[in-house]
Amino acid sequence: MAKNNKERPEWAVTRGRASRWEKEQQRQQIILISVSAVIVLVLGLVGYAFYDHAQSQNEEDHETILKVNDRSFDLGDYVKLLRFAGISQYTSSYHADFAQYIFNAMQSQEMIRQLALTLGLGVTEAEIDANIEEQFAPPEASENSSEQTPDATLTPTPTASYNTLLKQLKSIGISEKFYRQQISLNILQEKVRDYIGEKDVAKEMPQARVQGILIDVKAAVTEINSVSITAEEGQVEEPTVSPGNEDPEKVRETIKARLASGEDFSALAEESSTDTPSRVSGGDLGWLPGDISIAKYGESFKEATFSLELGALSKPIPASTSADNTDYWIIQVLEREDSRLVEEAQRDQLINASFNAWFEEQSKTFTVTDLLSAELKTLAIQKALQ
């Protein structure tokens, strides 16, 4: 009997078909694996590029640019300080000079910090908080007030919101911790300054009360417009001048003769002095300690104030501020005291001078290594402006 061969359906997988199907699957798997490998490779290269760039940026930020004794500062520190100081508010033509100024300030701040340690001076968190409260409105007032859009300036005002400033700082990569550190350094500098001032500058010292007329022998004043100060303008009208005698002694003799004839020194000063601030008050220069006399008018002026007889007219004294050596002071000493309380503004000026002299001397004891090249400075500026 013949065998009954059953027909196989079209979908049945024969041995030949199975072989072809398996080969097709293998080819597709190879293609898929190859494509996947390419994608992984591309993504890996892109990722590595970003990582390499980030690492490069990170390495740049950690490059040392300054050493003050054993304390090092890197490029990242410098960039933060440039941003904090507001380099973006200046024109590009001033960026290099501004960056150098900030670099010098960073060095000076670190010197003062280290000097403060030797003096036993420091700053507490409470002092930082108090300083912030002086500059900004209380937090309650800031939170209740409507939120204002941060502007370009980081200068605080009495009604400014501390939280608003923190947002401004955060937007340029500056943390609150960094901001508080800068406040601490400022407070510390004031403490060191006051410490030196209290030690070196007396509260009372010899002083003389002086009147003066400043003359320019190449343009001696021969006539003057009426002097008037109005609330609206707040300006003093300058005198009309004409060429005068180039011999200061002859000018002094003229003043002396007019005083002898009964004219008042104050009136002559208002008429003839070329020093506007004192002219409007009749030449009154106020009470002057010796060091203030030197700082404002020169050593010869100071010597005259403490050697002249009261009411006597001085010889012409060359003005220390004269650029062309044609300005001279003619002065009278009205009063003199061996010990008189120094005015607050004058003592503040003397303390600043004493502190600056002390700091300049102390700076010589530091080991400072400047590693800021022109290229690194340019890079720091670019980063600070990003």
Side-chain angles (χ1 to χ4, degrees):
M1 178 181 293
K3 292 184 179 180
N4 186 17
N5 295 326
K6 295 183 180 180
E7 293 184 1
R8 289 185 288 246
E10 289 296 324
W11 48 264
V13 179
T14 65
R15 184 181 298 274
R17 285 182 176 177
S19 177
R20 288 194 301 272
W21 182 78
E22 288 174 354
K23 290 179 179 179
E24 184 64 27
Q25 289 298 311
Q26 290 175 354
R27 282 196 297 270
Q28 290 180 1
Q29 287 178 358
I30 291 171
I31 294 172
L32 181 61
I33 291 171
S34 300
V35 171
S36 299
V38 171
I39 291 173
V40 170
L41 179 62
V42 170
L43 291 177
L45 290 173
V46 172
Y48 177 78
F50 278 109
Y51 173 78
D52 185 58
H53 178 69
Q55 285 292 100
S56 176
Q57 293 278 76
N58 193 48
E59 289 174 4
E60 289 173 347
D61 287 345
H62 286 85
E63 185 163 355
T64 301
I65 61 168
L66 174 67
K67 291 182 180 179
V68 181
N69 287 343
D70 59 349
R71 176 76 184 277
S72 296
F73 294 86
D74 58 32
L75 192 71
D77 298 323
Y78 187 36
V79 170
K80 283 184 181 179
L81 203 54
L82 287 173
R83 286 177 181 166
F84 179 74
I87 190 172
S88 62
Q89 299 177 44
Y90 296 90
T91 59
S92 58
S93 61
Y94 186 58
H95 284 166
D97 289 339
F98 182 81
Q100 187 61 49
Y101 171 79
I102 296 301
F103 180 79
N104 295 341
M106 181 168 64
Q107 176 180 317
S108 296
Q109 280 185 329
E110 177 55 23
M111 287 181 175
I112 291 171
R113 188 192 69 82
Q114 294 186 27
L115 288 169
L117 292 175
T118 66
L119 299 174
L121 300 175
V123 179
T124 66
E125 292 297 317
E127 288 174 319
I128 297 174
D129 291 337
N131 184 278
I132 291 173
E133 288 177 6
E134 288 178 2
Q135 299 181 66
F136 298 93
E140 300 79 24
S142 300
E143 291 171 2
N144 294 333
S145 62
S146 58
E147 195 68 31
Q148 297 181 357
T149 303
D151 53 23
T153 179
L154 300 179
T155 303
T157 63
T159 58
S161 164
Y162 181 55
N163 293 333
T164 299
L165 178 66
L166 292 182
K167 290 178 182 179
Q168 289 179 284
L169 293 173
K170 186 177 180 180
S171 70
I172 60 173
I174 303 298
S175 66
E176 181 179 12
K177 180 181 178 181
F178 182 89
Y179 176 62
R180 291 176 68 88
Q181 287 173 344
Q182 296 308 306
I183 292 178
S184 177
L185 289 171
N186 290 338
I187 296 174
L188 198 58
Q189 178 167 325
E190 284 298 309
K191 283 191 171 186
V192 174
R193 171 192 171 276
D194 292 345
Y195 178 90
I196 298 302
E198 288 297 322
K199 182 170 65 72
D200 293 347
V201 180
K203 294 182 179 180
E204 295 186 7
M205 55 185 64
Q207 298 186 55
R209 181 170 168 240
V210 182
Q211 268 187 319
I213 298 174
L214 183 63
I215 59 172
D216 182 348
V217 294
K218 285 193 175 180
V221 177
T222 55
E223 60 177 293
I224 185 168
N225 298 321
S226 60
V227 177
S228 61
I229 303 177
T230 64
E232 295 79 12
E233 298 177 355
Q235 295 181 343
V236 179
E237 191 172 8
E238 293 293 334
T240 300
V241 299
S242 60
N245 197 315
E246 294 190 10
D247 184 352
E249 280 291 348
K250 290 184 178 180
V251 177
R252 174 187 178 274
E253 289 303 316
T254 300
I255 293 173
K256 185 177 181 180
R258 293 179 65 175
L259 290 174
S261 67
E263 292 192 55
D264 183 63
F265 189 98
S266 296
L268 290 178
E270 290 178 0
E271 173 189 323
S272 306
S273 181
T274 59
D275 182 57
T276 301
S278 64
R279 188 182 76 236
V280 296
S281 59
D284 187 5
L285 301 176
W287 284 93
L288 300 173
D291 288 343
I292 291 292
S293 295
I294 294 174
K296 295 183 71 173
Y297 308 112
E299 182 69 39
S300 297
F301 189 101
K302 180 253 183 179
E303 290 177 2
T305 61
F306 288 94
S307 61
L308 274 175
E309 291 185 12
L310 298 183
L313 200 64
S314 73
K315 297 287 186 179
I317 305 169
S320 62
T321 56
S322 178
D324 51 8
N325 298 319
T326 64
D327 294 329
Y328 292 83
W329 281 103
I330 308 295
I331 67 171
Q332 277 185 334
V333 178
L334 304 180
E335 301 177 70
R336 193 182 287 122
E337 293 184 13
D338 293 333
S339 182
R340 179 182 174 86
L341 189 67
V342 181
E343 294 178 6
E344 183 177 350
Q346 290 181 336
R347 188 162 188 269
D348 195 59
Q349 183 179 347
L350 292 173
I351 288 175
N352 283 337
S354 178
F355 169 74
N356 290 336
W358 172 83
F359 180 68
E360 183 177 355
E361 190 63 29
Q362 293 298 316
S363 298
K364 299 174 183 177
T365 67
F366 281 82
T367 300
V368 178
T369 307
D370 182 350
L371 301 172
L372 183 66
S373 63
E375 293 76 13
L376 283 175
K377 184 194 292 186
T378 300
L379 178 60
I381 293 171
Q382 292 172 349
K383 283 175 171 283
L385 294 172
Q386 289 176 355

